[in-house]
Amino acid sequence: MSTQRIVFVGVGGQGNLLASNLLGQAALAAGVQVVVSEIHGMAQRGGVVESAVILGEATSPIVSNAEADVLVSFEPVEALRLLPKANKETLIITNTRPMPPFTVAIGAAPYPPPEESVAYLGKKVKKVVAFDGQALAEEAKNPLSLNMVMLGALFGAAELPIDVKTMKKVIRSQTKKRFAASNVKAFDLGFKAAAAA
Amino acid sequence: MDVLLTPSGGKEHLLLGNEAIVRGALEAGMAFATCYPGTPSSEVPDTLYRLRKQFPNKVKYYFEYSTNEKVALECAAGAAASGVRTLCTMKHVGVNVAADPLMTLAYVGVRAGMVLLTADDPSLFSSQNEQDNRYYARLSGLPMLEPCGPAEAKEMTSHAFDLSEELGTPVFIRTTTRVNHAREAVKLAKLGKVKQKSKFVKAPMQFVTVPAVSRNLHLRLLNIHKQAAALSESSPWNKISGRGKLGIITNGVSYNYVADAVADLGAKSKIKIFKVGMSYPLPEKKLANFLKSVDKVLVVEELEPIMEEAARAIAQEKGIKVQIVGKMPGQIPAKSVDVEIPKFLSRAFEYNPRLVRSAIAKAFGLKYKGTAELKLTGMPAPPGRPPNLCPGCPHRATYHAVKEVMGDEAIYPTDIGCYTLGLLPPIQAADFLICMGSSVSSAGGISRATGQKVVAFIGDSTFFHSGITGLVNAVHNNHNFTLVILDNGTTAMTGHQPHPGVNTDSIGDITTHVPLEPLVRGLGVKHVTTIKPFKVRASKKAIKEAVAHDGVSVIISKELCPLFAKRVAPTSKKPFYVNQDKCKGHMDCIKKVACPAMFVEDGQARINPMQCIGCALCAQICPENAILPVKAKA
Ligand SMILES: Cc1ncc(C[n+]2csc(CCOP(=O)(O)OP(=O)(O)O)c2C)c(N)n1
Ligand code: SF4
């Protein structure tokens, strides 16, 4: 099978490392060769957190500029910041709910309106799936499940060599019992939102 | 149960590189482990610590967080000399701290397998430099293995214990961030038998390094090196794949970039790859044969041109007519990776698949039409998102009080930890930093050389790590500065590990707590005050007195890191809010402390109740007393 390079980006606390780890486990369960890489470090302190999941033949743990097949961004301006990783064939999936950095929150720097960011992404790549993922996480009654919403959206929008059932099984077995049901719900909502887009 | 403790082998699991290293050590029957934490190595000790805590009856090894890397290595050396299999882990710069014992430990050797993990950090994701610790193998004479990913990291760690025992010498495992923090399928082997206790057999002619003994021990080391060199020639970790008249020599994670690139370039029948896994001593004969078998060789290695220089030396010595290219003499990237990813093989920063692919294509005249980079003109500029101290972080309060008293005039030597973020505005109280512990000692130098007012900052873990000796020096030599010890009761930066100053009751460890204040007094500091940083007025008063003291004064600013406190001693403080009738929009709160729980709306400060943890720092700054606890609203 050909290689699929997926890059996740989020802000500390949004849980994108869990999403990439679970996707990696689902790949292993589905018998798909996989490498996951993470940048730890500043996650706790509100910085940008990036991770990558590479499915298929490749063994390199990271994704170079212009070589991501899919970008999954948990925050609209982070999708812009990550854009150098994309090429014109890249699929971009982004949450549209802003998490303004501190400089913006205190009015010291402008924050591009999400519609503008999404419109710009749309001009650069083949397909953009943009929706308010946080609203779906809240609909699933688990505001911390944005990572599951985005994982669902990835399955809804991209052709992956892993079936949804395997992914959900991993979510159920690997996330906290208390949240397992709402996590699967969040995944389903994300899936539907992306499949409809 | 945890998969890492599965007794049997056979199953595959998706493991983080650092978890794979733990498993490799357990499969080898490791009985003893020491460390000082540091990214990207920390998940190795943290996993050992967690497993021991969660499964005290299943785990058969002794584990400790040591005070610093030198101590960790010496403690490990004692265990290995006593005959139990030992692991010692640290980040690359930690080896600098441990370098003194390392160099002579290499002389005396070990009686049971001992593995030393050095986790390097090309591109400085979370480090103060990107030194290449492959040089330490050369400096000490110890063998080194370099895995390319988690699966190999497990195998090599386990093998390293055997190799160490075979040679009677410690063995390095050198990783880089991309190995430590990658996950891939790792196939387990069965857990090893653990020899937990041994007996120290006296042998002063091996273990007491007076000159007469060490002269012989140096010869011992050289002989071991010879033996290791022979093993390297036949080591399964040094392997050649592919065929053709073009060659690539590579190591570590770069191997993956090379292997993918050769496949992408459709050049598997043209290019042979020499994957160096046992990188010291290098398999010189095998390399010589490889060099003879090709017309041109490209060396792909991150950081220093170590293998490249070795290849050139081998070719020269053996009169091999092969063209060797790599990064020598070498271009220097014009900009740092934050701005631009380098596009050629350089001595700076980590490599990536595209860079390596294009370097190979260029070196060998191969064509590759890759995907084009997007032109991003007119892109709405994403605002910066620098890391910031957490809401309610006591460091912010301490910095605020010191800045209120000392302003911008004082010189602020600082140290390494979360508090280094005090570099950023609006705090900006960081003027000099080179390594852990440098705050205290450099403060003495700066104040002596200039007579300027100096206030130095150091974290509690860092103080125990390497601040104590500097403080003794300052007392003894009558230096004149104030040291602020930021006692947040944990090693926050690297993942909240315990250290000697941590109150052990709160975390249920069986270690002994070494309280700071009596220690500092015992070192001879005459003026010592402990403050509660969220009591702003009292803190400022104490700081004023401390800086007025002629000589060395110490302020211990004591307040738990709230992220750590949430786990060990949760409190139920109410968040604060800004009373909109009282707020006059001075923005003192925002301008002075930049707490990420605050934002501005309609010209007034506001507080996000989801983020505020009720530390009350801003409430004490507001001149209008407009910031109040939420309960007072009702
Ligand atoms: C020699 C060396 N070892 C380890 C590290 C990694 N490291 C950076 S800061 C730090 C500890 C910080 O703890 P502390 O001083 O208590 O400050 P805090 O983060 O809690 O504010 C460590 C272990 C390093 N930079 N250098
Ligand atoms: S982790 Fe703790 S010490 Fe570090 S910035 Fe956050 S609150 Fe402060």
Side-chain angles (χ1 to χ4, degrees):
Chain A
M1 99 179 234
S2 67
T3 300
Q4 222 166 356
R5 298 177 171 87
I6 304 161
V7 181
F8 291 82
V9 69
V11 175
Q14 287 187 314
N16 62 316
L17 293 187
L18 180 62
S20 53
N21 184 356
L22 294 181
L23 177 59
Q25 298 203 32
L28 180 64
V32 174
Q33 189 180 315
V34 62
V35 198
V36 181
S37 69
E38 309 170 350
I39 279 298
H40 300 189
M42 278 303 163
Q44 271 171 3
R45 290 148 207 95
V48 182
V49 184
E50 212 184 290
S51 54
V53 177
I54 294 115
L55 301 170
E57 293 299 303
T59 59
S60 300
I62 55 174
V63 179
S64 297
N65 277 1
E67 297 190 354
D69 297 298
V70 188
L71 298 185
V72 183
S73 176
F74 287 39
E75 208 276 354
V77 297
E78 292 315 319
L80 290 177
R81 207 190 310 277
L82 203 62
L83 202 45
K85 290 250 184 269
N87 58 59
K88 59 185 192 341
E89 299 299 319
T90 303
L91 162 67
I92 298 182
I93 303 168
T94 185
N95 173 26
T96 52
R97 181 82 67 92
M99 280 266 283
F102 183 70
T103 43
V104 171
I106 61 167
Y111 185 95
E115 320 75 75
E116 247 173 57
S117 301
V118 171
Y120 187 82
L121 298 172
K123 279 195 288 191
K124 294 291 156 184
V125 303
K126 198 162 80 180
K127 186 167 179 196
V128 177
V129 174
F131 60 97
D132 186 344
Q134 191 55 43
L136 298 184
E138 280 152 21
E139 191 182 327
K141 302 225 165 29
N142 177 358
L144 294 177
S145 65
L146 174 67
N147 50 2
M148 298 302 131
V149 171
M150 299 311 290
L151 203 50
L154 171 66
F155 275 79
E159 283 287 327
L160 298 179
I162 304 163
D163 68 66
V164 172
K165 251 201 185 132
T166 309
M167 186 66 245
K168 286 206 225 175
K169 213 170 130 194
V170 169
I171 294 175
R172 255 185 238 112
S173 66
Q174 299 290 314
T175 63
K176 286 207 183 91
K177 272 217 171 62
R178 198 148 57 90
F179 297 120
S182 60
N183 279 338
V184 172
K185 174 97 200 279
F187 178 92
D188 285 337
L189 289 171
F191 186 98
K192 262 189 239 143
Chain B
M1 233 232 311
D2 199 285
V3 297
L4 294 173
L5 295 178
T6 317
S8 58
K11 271 205 146 173
E12 274 195 334
H13 293 279
L14 192 77
L15 296 187
L16 189 69
N18 282 341
E19 294 170 339
I21 290 170
V22 167
R23 177 68 192 191
L26 297 179
E27 288 176 4
M30 177 200 76
F32 202 97
T34 64
C35 76
Y36 186 74
T39 319
S41 75
S42 304
E43 295 80 7
V44 176
D46 293 356
T47 303
L48 290 170
Y49 176 71
R50 177 179 64 77
L51 292 176
R52 193 192 54 172
K53 240 179 156 146
Q54 283 181 355
F55 309 100
N57 302 323
K58 288 254 168 347
V59 157
K60 299 208 177 65
Y61 54 80
Y62 170 79
F63 167 77
E64 70 173 40
Y65 288 108
S66 308
T67 318
N68 67 25
E69 292 87 353
K70 171 172 147 66
V71 172
L73 186 62
E74 290 159 348
C75 183
S82 304
V84 298
R85 286 196 158 190
T86 302
L87 174 70
C88 182
T89 72
M90 55 196 66
K91 70 183 285 166
H92 60 334
V93 288
V95 183
N96 301 336
V97 178
D100 193 17
L102 175 70
M103 297 305 296
T104 311
L105 171 61
Y107 277 29
V108 304
V110 292
R111 281 172 165 152
M114 173 169 172
V115 175
L116 172 55
L117 170 69
T118 164
D120 291 16
D121 189 21
S123 280
L124 304 92
F125 290 100
S126 31
S127 301
Q128 61 266 42
N129 73 26
E130 60 170 346
Q131 67 185 47
D132 188 332
N133 273 13
R134 290 180 297 162
Y135 277 130
Y136 270 115
R138 283 137 185 94
L139 188 61
S140 63
L142 297 180
M144 178 174 273
L145 302 174
E146 292 185 63
C148 66
E152 207 174 72
K154 193 212 76 168
E155 300 297 323
M156 277 188 181
T157 304
S158 177
H159 168 77
F161 281 95
D162 293 338
L163 182 64
S164 166
E165 251 158 49
E166 184 176 350
L167 294 169
T169 200
V171 170
F172 272 113
I173 296 278
R174 179 210 183 228
T175 54
T176 56
T177 302
R178 297 305 184 176
V179 173
N180 299 95
H181 290 168
R183 289 177 199 272
E184 68 181 10
V186 177
K187 190 167 178 187
L188 307 187
K190 68 178 197 315
L191 282 187
K193 265 220 169 66
V194 184
K195 179 180 167 193
Q196 284 174 292
K197 273 271 180 285
S198 187
K199 195 170 159 60
F200 186 89
V201 180
K202 295 186 183 213
M205 289 301 137
Q206 183 181 353
F207 291 111
V208 183
T209 56
V210 294
V213 172
S214 283
R215 281 183 204 111
N216 291 321
L217 291 177
H218 189 194
L219 304 180
R220 173 189 187 271
L221 176 62
L222 295 176
N223 279 311
I224 286 174
H225 180 266
K226 224 166 113 184
Q227 242 180 299
L231 289 176
S232 185
E233 297 294 347
S234 57
S235 168
W237 307 116
N238 293 328
K239 44 179 183 230
I240 298 168
S241 58
R243 61 201 149 86
K245 294 302 275 178
L246 302 170
I248 296 175
I249 299 171
T250 185
N251 68 326
V253 73
S254 303
Y255 167 74
N256 300 314
Y257 305 150
V258 168
D260 286 354
V262 170
D264 293 345
L265 292 163
K268 280 188 180 165
S269 60
K270 291 191 197 126
I271 301 176
K272 283 209 282 205
I273 307 172
F274 196 128
K275 176 181 184 300
V276 177
M278 181 162 177
S279 68
Y280 194 76
L282 280 171
E284 293 193 6
K285 289 194 195 107
K286 205 169 179 177
L287 277 171
N289 289 334
F290 183 78
L291 293 175
K292 267 184 224 152
S293 73
V294 291
D295 301 327
K296 188 171 182 179
V297 157
L298 173 69
V299 186
V300 182
E301 59 188 321
E302 291 174 326
L303 302 177
E304 295 300 301
I306 293 176
M307 298 194 300
E308 186 179 338
E309 280 173 356
R312 288 180 197 282
I314 293 167
Q316 194 273 342
E317 190 197 320
K318 301 261 178 346
I320 303 167
K321 291 226 169 357
V322 59
Q323 197 193 346
I324 298 171
V325 290
K327 62 186 124 203
M328 289 166 72
Q331 276 170 281
I332 301 172
K335 291 171 183 156
S336 96
V337 276
D338 287 345
V339 186
E340 199 172 72
I341 294 164
K343 297 211 163 58
F344 49 85
L345 300 179
S346 86
R347 285 165 86 143
F349 314 133
E350 70 168 2
Y351 294 169
N352 64 72
R354 191 179 180 92
L355 159 64
V356 169
R357 194 189 306 117
S358 74
I360 295 172
K362 191 167 153 219
F364 297 146
L366 303 171
K367 283 221 168 51
Y368 182 73
K369 213 175 138 300
T371 45
E373 293 191 48
L374 295 172
K375 286 200 182 55
L376 297 179
T377 41
M379 182 169 90
R385 200 184 286 280
N388 190 349
L389 296 170
C390 304
C393 176
H395 297 333
R396 179 180 289 107
T398 311
Y399 278 128
H400 169 69
V402 172
K403 284 294 293 269
E404 288 277 294
V405 174
M406 302 304 293
D408 291 328
E409 282 312 299
I411 307 302
Y412 299 114
T414 191
D415 229 299
I416 311 188
C418 283
Y419 54 95
T420 315
L421 291 171
L423 168 71
L424 302 177
I427 295 169
Q428 289 174 298
D431 295 312
F432 191 77
L433 167 61
I434 45 180
C435 64
M436 287 183 79
S438 69
S439 58
V440 198
S441 333
S442 68
I446 293 169
S447 66
R448 276 276 174 210
T450 65
Q452 284 171 284
K453 264 286 172 209
V454 175
V455 179
F457 296 99
I458 192 167
D460 48 353
S461 185
T462 304
F463 180 71
F464 281 102
H465 176 281
S466 49
I468 297 172
T469 42
L471 188 54
V472 172
N473 179 66
V475 170
H476 174 64
N477 289 306
N478 303 322
H479 286 308
N480 185 14
F481 62 84
T482 301
L483 176 68
V484 181
I485 305 178
L486 299 152
D487 179 10
N488 63 353
T490 185
T491 314
M493 177 86 195
T494 45
H496 299 97
Q497 293 86 357
H499 62 69
V502 172
N503 187 335
T504 43
D505 301 341
S506 66
I507 50 175
D509 278 2
I510 39 166
T511 45
T512 299
H513 175 208
V514 181
L516 270 173
E517 188 169 322
L519 170 65
V520 171
R521 286 192 193 281
L523 297 178
V525 180
K526 293 280 178 316
H527 190 108
V528 185
T529 341
T530 296
I531 62 169
K532 296 231 122 256
F534 290 124
K535 305 214 148 124
V536 175
R537 197 166 335 122
S539 296
K540 287 203 304 209
K541 181 163 170 280
I543 291 161
K544 261 188 212 136
E545 287 164 11
V547 296
H549 175 82
D550 192 21
V552 181
S553 56
V554 169
I555 296 268
I556 299 168
S557 179
K558 194 171 165 66
E559 183 67 50
L560 280 188
C561 156
L563 254 56
F564 176 63
K566 207 158 59 181
R567 294 211 310 249
V568 297
T571 57
S572 51
K573 280 197 210 138
K574 292 269 182 315
F576 279 62
Y577 77 103
V578 178
N579 182 315
Q580 295 182 23
D581 301 332
K582 288 189 174 180
C583 173
K584 298 231 166 74
H586 308 292
M587 301 290 166
D588 279 20
C589 50
I590 285 183
K591 277 189 252 164
K592 286 187 174 166
V593 292
C595 171
M598 305 199 91
F599 58 98
V600 174
E601 207 172 82
D602 305 329
Q604 283 188 327
R606 297 270 190 279
I607 296 171
N608 179 346
M610 297 299 290
Q611 287 199 46
C612 175
I613 65 158
C615 76
L617 174 63
C618 57
Q620 295 169 74
I621 292 169
C622 175
E624 307 293 337
N625 291 321
I627 304 180
L628 302 163
V630 164
K631 65 174 177 217
K633 200 174 163 185

